[in-house]
C-alpha cells in the first residue's frame, strides 16, 4: 500500500478506479411520439397577429417603459419605445433587463428587421419571464410540458379510437 513520503513500497499495487461502463440516464428523455419542427430561413408571414399588439407610442415628453425603468431621457429614435409603452412597459422591460441586459437587447433588435421586431420583443419578454420563474430551464420547461401533452393520448382520443376500431371490426364481420 501507498504510505505517502513520495515513494511507493515494493510489492504494493497502485489503486485503480472503476469507471462506470454506462452513462447515467439523461435528465430529459425524448417523447415517444415524433413531432416535426420545420425551420425556415425566411419564414412566411404569420397569418395571426402577434400575441401582444404594440403599445401606443408614448405621449410627447413621456418616456417609454424601458427609458422609465433605466431612468434616462427617451430620445425620438429610441429602439425600445415602439415595444415597451410608458404604462406597462416598465414592468415588462424590468424582466428583460434583468435576464438579458438593456445593451444586449438593443443590439439584438438592431439586427432584426423592423417589421419583425414586435415578434422578437414578445419572444424575448416571454423567455425573460420564463427564465425568472425557472432559472435552469426557462421556456424549455413549457416546451417539454407541451410535448408531453401532445404525445400522451387523452381519454377522449382513446375512446374515439376504440369506437372506430369496433366499428371497423363489426363492418368486416358483416361482410
Amino acid at each position: 500500500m501507498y504510505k505517502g513520503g513520495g515513494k511507493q513500497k515494493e510489492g504494493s499495487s497502485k489503486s485503480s478506479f472503476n469507471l462506470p461502463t454506462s452513462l447515467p440516464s439523461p435528465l430529459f428523455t425524448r417523447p415517444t411520439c415524433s413531432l416535426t419542427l420545420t425551420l425556415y430561413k425566411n419564414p412566411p408571414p404569420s397569418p395571426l397577429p402577434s400575441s401582444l399588439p404594440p403599445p401606443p407610442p408614448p405621449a410627447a415628453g413621456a418616456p417609454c417603459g424601458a427609458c422609465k425603468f433605466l431612468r434616462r431621457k427617451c430620445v425620438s429614435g429610441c429602439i425600445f419605445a415602439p415595444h415597451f409603452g410608458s404604462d406597462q412597459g416598465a414592468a415588462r422591460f424590468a424582466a428583460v433587463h434583468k435576464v438579458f441586459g438593456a445593451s444586449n437587447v438593443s443590439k439584438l433588435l438592431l439586427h432584426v428587421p423592423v417589421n419583425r421586431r414586435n415578434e422578437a420583443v414578445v419572444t424575448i419578454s416571454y423567455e425573460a419571464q420564463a427564465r425568472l420563474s425557472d432559472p435552469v430551464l426557462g421556456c424549455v420547461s413549457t416546451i417539454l410540458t407541451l410535448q408531453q401533452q401532445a404525445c400522451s393520448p387523452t381519454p377522449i382520443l382513446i375512446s374515439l379510437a376504440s369506437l372506430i376500431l369496433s366499428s371497423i371490426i363489426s363492418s368486416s364481420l358483416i361482410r
Side-chain angles (χ1 to χ4, degrees):
M1 281 183 67
Y2 182 71
K3 293 192 174 186
K7 291 189 177 181
Q8 191 174 7
K9 286 189 176 182
E10 289 183 43
S12 64
S13 63
K14 293 181 180 178
S15 59
S16 62
F17 297 102
N18 292 330
L19 297 175
T21 57
S22 65
L23 296 174
S25 63
L27 182 61
F28 300 109
T29 57
R30 297 184 87 174
T32 55
C33 72
S34 63
L35 299 173
T36 304
L37 177 65
T38 306
L39 298 175
Y40 296 99
K41 186 172 181 181
N42 294 317
S46 175
L48 299 174
S50 185
S51 61
L52 291 175
C64 68
C67 292
K68 188 184 290 187
F69 179 80
L70 296 171
R71 296 180 182 196
R72 67 180 188 192
K73 184 180 179 187
C74 190
V75 295
S76 62
C78 178
I79 195 159
F80 299 121
H83 311 290
F84 297 99
S86 59
D87 51 349
Q88 298 168 349
R92 278 183 42 214
F93 185 77
V96 171
H97 176 64
K98 186 172 184 179
V99 174
F100 299 111
S103 177
N104 291 332
V105 174
S106 68
K107 289 175 190 173
L108 179 74
L109 290 177
L110 286 174
H111 293 291
V112 176
V114 177
N115 60 343
R116 306 282 296 206
R117 283 186 186 165
N118 192 46
E119 293 177 50
V121 169
V122 169
T123 304
I124 291 168
S125 297
Y126 183 82
E127 174 63 31
Q129 290 294 331
R131 201 47 78 173
L132 289 177
S133 64
D134 188 354
V136 176
L137 295 177
C139 68
V140 173
S141 64
T142 305
I143 293 169
L144 291 173
T145 303
L146 291 173
Q147 280 181 342
Q148 288 173 352
Q149 289 175 1
C151 294
S152 64
T154 61
I156 294 172
L157 289 177
I158 293 172
S159 63
L160 194 62
S162 65
L163 180 65
I164 292 170
L165 185 60
S166 65
S167 68
I168 290 172
I169 292 172
S170 65
S171 68
S172 66
L173 291 176
I174 295 173
R175 292 181 185 172

